[in-house]
Each structure stands twice: as C-alpha cells, then as structure tokens.
Amino acid sequence: MMTNEKRWKVNSSLTVIRVVFMIALLLCSCSPAFAAAQDDANGDAVAAAVSNTEHMVTELNVGDMELASKDFALVKKWWSTNKNEVKQDSLDMSLEIDRQIASLSLAFLNKDLKQASEVAGTLHFSLRNYSDGAYTDNTGKSEMTLSTYIMKLRQAGDLMKKQAWPEARNEVKLLQSQWLSIEGDVVSQSQAKYNNAERDLVLMDAYLSSPEKQDQAFSIANRLIESLTPLVDAQYSWWDAALIPLREGLEGLLVVGTLLMYAKKSESVAAKRWVIGGSAAALLVCVAVGFIVTVLLSSSAFGHNNSLINGWTGVLASVMLLYVSYWLHRNSDVKRWNKFLQSKSTEALTSGRMISIALLAFFAIVREGLETVIFLVGMVGKMPGTELAIGIAAGFGILALCAVVMVKAGTRLPVRPVFLVSSIIVFYLCFKFMGSGIHSLQMAGIIPSTVQDYLPERMTLSIYPSWYSTLPQLLFLIIAVAVVLLQKLSSQRIRNSKAV
C-alpha cells in the first residue's frame, strides 16, 4: 500500500513535470522555428486543398461526378479543420469560400454537373488567391505585393522553361486575374510600364495558347519581370495620388466637356442637365464599386468583373463616340449649324438624343472612373491617409478646373474650328476606346488572346497586335475617310451648281 506521504510526493512530481512540459511547449510555440514550421504545415495543407480542387475541376470537366466528389470530400475536410484560421486571416475570404463550399455541396447532392463545374472553378480561384495572399485581410491589407507578383511571374517562367505549357497557361490566367491587386503600384509610378504590362499579360496567354508560338512566351515573361522589378521599393507622395485621377480622368473629361460645350452652343439647358446627370450617375457607380471592393470583396476577386466592365463600356462608348464625331464634323459648317438650331434643335434635343448623350457621359466616366477608384483603393495603407486625401482632392480639383476652362473657351470660339477640333478629338477617343475595350475583353477571357507579330503595336493609341482589335479600328478609319471624302464631294457639287 502507498502511504499518503509517498502518494503526495508522486503527485507533486507529476505536477512539476506537467508545468515544465507546458512551459517548454509555450516557449517552443513562441519560437521562430516553431512558427515557421507551423506556417509551413499550414501552407502544405492549403496547397493540398488547392491540388484537390484542381483535380475536382478536371474530373467535373469530363463529367465524372463520382470521382470529383471524393476530391471534394478532402477539400471539405480541410475546410472544417482550417475554417477558423482562414477567418482570422480574412473574414471576407472565409465567407467567400464558405458560400462556395455550401453551393458545391448542394450541386453534388442534386447531381447538377453544370452548377458543380461553375462553382468548383470559382472555389479553385478563391483557394489559389488565399494560398498566394491575394486577398484583403482583416486589417485592410493584402499580402499580394508587387514583389510577390514578380515571384509568381518567375514561377510561371520556370514552367515555360520546362515546357509545362498547360500549367504555365494556368499560372498566366491566374496572374491576369490577380493583376488588379497590384496594378495601382505600377500605374502610380509609370503609365508606360502599366500599359506594357497589360499588353504582355495578354501576349503571354496568346503565345501559350498557340503551339507554334509557345517558345516565345518565356521572353515575354522575362521582359515583364525586368520592367516591374525596379518598381518594388517605390515610395508614394500626394502627387502620385493626384496623378491617378488626372491621367485616368482626362479622356472622360474630353468626352463630357465636348458634350457640355455642344449643349451650351445649342442653348439647351435640358441637354446640359442630362450630361451632368449621366456623369453624376457614373461617379456614384464608381464610388459604390470602390466601397464594395474595399469592404466586401478583395481586389483580385473583382479583377475579372473589372475587365468585363471596362471592355463592354469601352466598346459601347466607342460606337456612340463614332456617331458623335460624325455629327460634330457634319455640323462644323456654320450655315448647317444655324439651320439646325433654327429648325431642329428643340425636336432633336427633347427626343432620344437626350438619353443618348446621358448614356455617353455615363459610359465615358465609368470607363475611366472604375480604373481610378481601384487604383486609389490599391494605394490605401501605402501612404498616410491625410496625404492620400490631399492628393485625391488635388487631382479631381485640377480636372474640374480644366472642365470649366474647356467649356468656357469652347463656347467663345467660332463654331467651325471648335467642332472640327472636337470631332477629331472624339474620333481619337472612339478609336482608342475600341482598342482598349477589346483588349480588356481579352484579359477577361471573353475574346481569344490571339496575336499576330506582323500587326502594328502602339500602346498610347490602344493599338494591339490582334485582329480582334485591329479590324474594328481599321473599319472606323475607313468610315472616317469615307465621310470626309463624301462631304468634300457634296460641297464641291454645291459650289459648282451655284457657279452655273
């Protein structure tokens, strides 16, 4: 029998051992080596979940729901174990993944192959973003820095060197989607490098999609890495924040300024209200999107939708601007303009034209405004808030001043030179919006990213080496030349008839 004294000694010894063990465990858990090992283990678990999701997507694409459900079970197991950890990293990301897991569970339950395939693709995208740090954490910051993006570009380049073409193309597709997370870092320092980077992302995808051009993709990746690397250690000032609305808003300002000038020349208060109303609605949309991206989504999650919006608004605005350019050129003749004011202005400015000019102002502002808002959101946390606010106010203040000067000066000049210059400016914007709109749709994957090396390339004019953008731009040029020639012939006939 053990005496009370012996029993007390044994219990005391066990208590001491437990305390020592707990202290040792606590010290180990606080040590950098333990933390690094834990991070590696978590990273491996996320990587495994991403891999299982990739297999699931592949199996669903061939219609094998039974095998896909097994991979999904592994993903759900990972999620049930790591859900709280993801929530600590990013509440928004955890809610996003949770919704997708629930939708996918329902799709498998209902044996809905189409729904399962769609949701599995979005789940894979979300998990890859989480794995790469391309999400907004609970403090409002994103781990997808420019240096991380360049590292991922190098990884894509390594896959190209190994001629692992499908894997390399998947990486490039993901880089296209994640571009929005870091594009603010690039455009705030160099508009030229920003334009070139967007071009190269489409070129890489195009070359990887074409078996005879796949070898050229590696040089594009290296060129992009060399271009972006010097921008990694950038320092921002209020002027960098001011330049973003100035650069992005100038083209929208030219459209809206031209419409306001036209309204004032027409002495139509209603037309002016419609232009201002369309512009105000666009600004509200841009601010709302900025709020949604900041509070509800991550920048990378919005990337695909932003490309779609830029693409379709660019194309629609381009078509409308083509007509505006024609109308301005046609009415540059003083007699024709006076006749228009006397006989048609009331009828024309109270019909569908009111809605048309409002829509044109809306599309022009949305097209440029969304880029501006997303770029500015990307600068949050990278400079003092007061300095950022001063820069934004300065940029928009200069834009507003330019608009006032443009409208005031334009209405005091003669009709013919104002309308001729305006028609040229509007046609330039029409030409450019079409090229950049098609390019954005290629970034979004709506239009194939095929390129031809023999086609011209001018980023400043949105001329890209792809027939998808070059053909409509060529068509616009042909239409413009035909209109000018026909008007000259018509004027010549009128002069000849008067001479007779």
Side-chain angles (χ1 to χ4, degrees), residues 83-123:
K83 183 176 180 178
N84 289 332
E85 183 186 337
V86 177
K87 189 180 293 185
Q88 289 174 2
D89 291 336
S90 171
L91 177 60
D92 293 338
M93 180 59 77
S94 70
L95 292 173
E96 184 179 310
I97 296 174
D98 204 37
R99 284 194 300 268
Q100 292 161 354
I101 293 282
S103 298
L104 204 48
S105 297
L106 186 62
F108 275 110
L109 184 64
N110 296 330
K111 299 187 183 303
D112 188 339
L113 178 62
K114 182 180 178 182
Q115 178 70 10
S117 298
E118 291 177 358
V119 180
T122 59
L123 176 62

Side-chain angles (χ1 to χ4, degrees), residues 252-269 271-273 275-276 324 327-328 337 340-341 349 357 402-426:
L253 170 68
L254 288 173
V255 174
V256 173
T258 300
L259 293 174
L260 286 173
M261 191 170 56
Y262 152 66
K264 196 161 185 179
K265 283 276 188 186
S266 309
E267 298 180 354
S268 172
V269 176
K272 182 180 177 181
R273 288 174 181 167
V275 174
I276 293 173
V324 172
W327 189 89
L328 287 168
W337 173 247
F340 171 80
L341 289 180
L349 294 177
I357 62 177
C402 290
V404 172
V405 171
M406 179 180 175
V407 174
K408 291 285 186 184
T411 52
R412 292 178 181 177
L413 294 173
V415 169
R416 182 169 178 77
V418 169
F419 273 32
L420 281 176
V421 172
S422 296
S423 67
I424 294 171
I425 292 173
V426 170

Side-chain angles (χ1 to χ4, degrees), residues 46 48-57 60 68 71-79 86 93-105 108 115-131 174:
V46 176
V50 171
S51 178
N52 289 327
T53 310
E54 286 177 356
H55 294 154
M56 178 175 60
V57 170
L60 287 170
D71 284 308
F72 180 55
L74 295 174
V75 176
K76 285 180 70 175
K77 184 178 179 181
W78 167 82
W79 181 238
V86 177
M93 180 59 77
S94 70
L95 292 173
E96 184 179 310
I97 296 174
D98 204 37
R99 284 194 300 268
Q100 292 161 354
I101 293 282
S103 298
L104 204 48
S105 297
F108 275 110
Q115 178 70 10
S117 298
E118 291 177 358
V119 180
T122 59
L123 176 62
H124 176 244
F125 176 73
S126 298
L127 290 178
R128 283 298 301 270
N129 280 340
Y130 177 68
S131 175
L174 192 65

Side-chain angles (χ1 to χ4, degrees), residues 13-258:
S13 300
L14 290 173
T15 302
V16 171
I17 292 171
R18 289 192 190 100
V19 170
V20 172
F21 178 76
M22 290 177 65
I23 292 172
L25 184 62
L26 181 62
L27 289 172
C28 287
S29 65
C30 293
S31 69
F34 182 86
Q38 193 173 33
D39 288 342
D40 289 342
N42 293 337
D44 291 341
V46 176
V50 171
S51 178
N52 289 327
T53 310
E54 286 177 356
H55 294 154
M56 178 175 60
V57 170
T58 303
E59 288 147 5
L60 287 170
N61 286 338
V62 297
D64 193 341
M65 289 195 74
E66 184 177 351
L67 198 56
S69 65
K70 294 179 181 178
D71 284 308
F72 180 55
L74 295 174
V75 176
K76 285 180 70 175
K77 184 178 179 181
W78 167 82
W79 181 238
S80 63
T81 305
N82 296 274
K83 183 176 180 178
N84 289 332
E85 183 186 337
V86 177
K87 189 180 293 185
Q88 289 174 2
D89 291 336
S90 171
L91 177 60
D92 293 338
M93 180 59 77
S94 70
L95 292 173
E96 184 179 310
I97 296 174
D98 204 37
R99 284 194 300 268
Q100 292 161 354
I101 293 282
S103 298
L104 204 48
S105 297
L106 186 62
F108 275 110
L109 184 64
N110 296 330
K111 299 187 183 303
D112 188 339
L113 178 62
K114 182 180 178 182
Q115 178 70 10
S117 298
E118 291 177 358
V119 180
T122 59
L123 176 62
H124 176 244
F125 176 73
S126 298
L127 290 178
R128 283 298 301 270
N129 280 340
Y130 177 68
S131 175
D132 296 334
Y135 59 87
T136 302
D137 64 20
N138 294 327
T139 62
K141 296 179 181 178
S142 173
E143 292 181 24
M144 175 55 79
T145 61
L146 184 55
S147 58
T148 304
Y149 194 83
I150 292 170
M151 180 189 71
K152 287 171 63 61
L153 274 170
R154 290 196 176 99
Q155 291 172 352
D158 290 340
L159 289 171
M160 295 173 201
K161 284 180 71 176
K162 296 175 184 176
Q163 297 189 346
W165 305 123
E167 293 83 355
R169 193 182 180 208
N170 288 337
E171 284 298 311
V172 169
K173 286 289 187 185
L174 192 65
L175 285 165
Q176 287 179 329
S177 301
Q178 294 173 337
W179 171 244
L180 196 66
S181 297
I182 55 91
E183 63 178 350
D185 292 345
V186 180
V187 75
S188 61
Q189 299 172 75
S190 172
Q191 182 72 43
K193 288 188 176 183
Y194 170 77
N195 291 336
N196 291 336
E198 284 209 329
R199 172 206 61 199
D200 286 345
L201 284 170
V202 173
L203 281 177
M204 278 195 296
D205 184 35
Y207 288 152
L208 290 170
S209 303
S210 177
E212 64 273 12
K213 294 182 178 180
Q214 287 174 336
D215 292 334
Q216 300 179 46
F218 180 69
S219 62
I220 301 296
N222 278 343
R223 181 172 71 189
L224 188 51
I225 290 168
E226 290 172 5
S227 174
L228 297 180
T229 299
L231 308 180
V232 169
D233 298 320
Q235 299 295 321
Y236 296 99
S237 67
W238 69 271
W239 182 242
D240 295 311
L243 280 177
I244 289 178
L246 281 175
R247 277 197 301 244
E248 298 300 316
L250 184 59
E251 292 174 351
L253 170 68
L254 288 173
V255 174
V256 173
T258 300

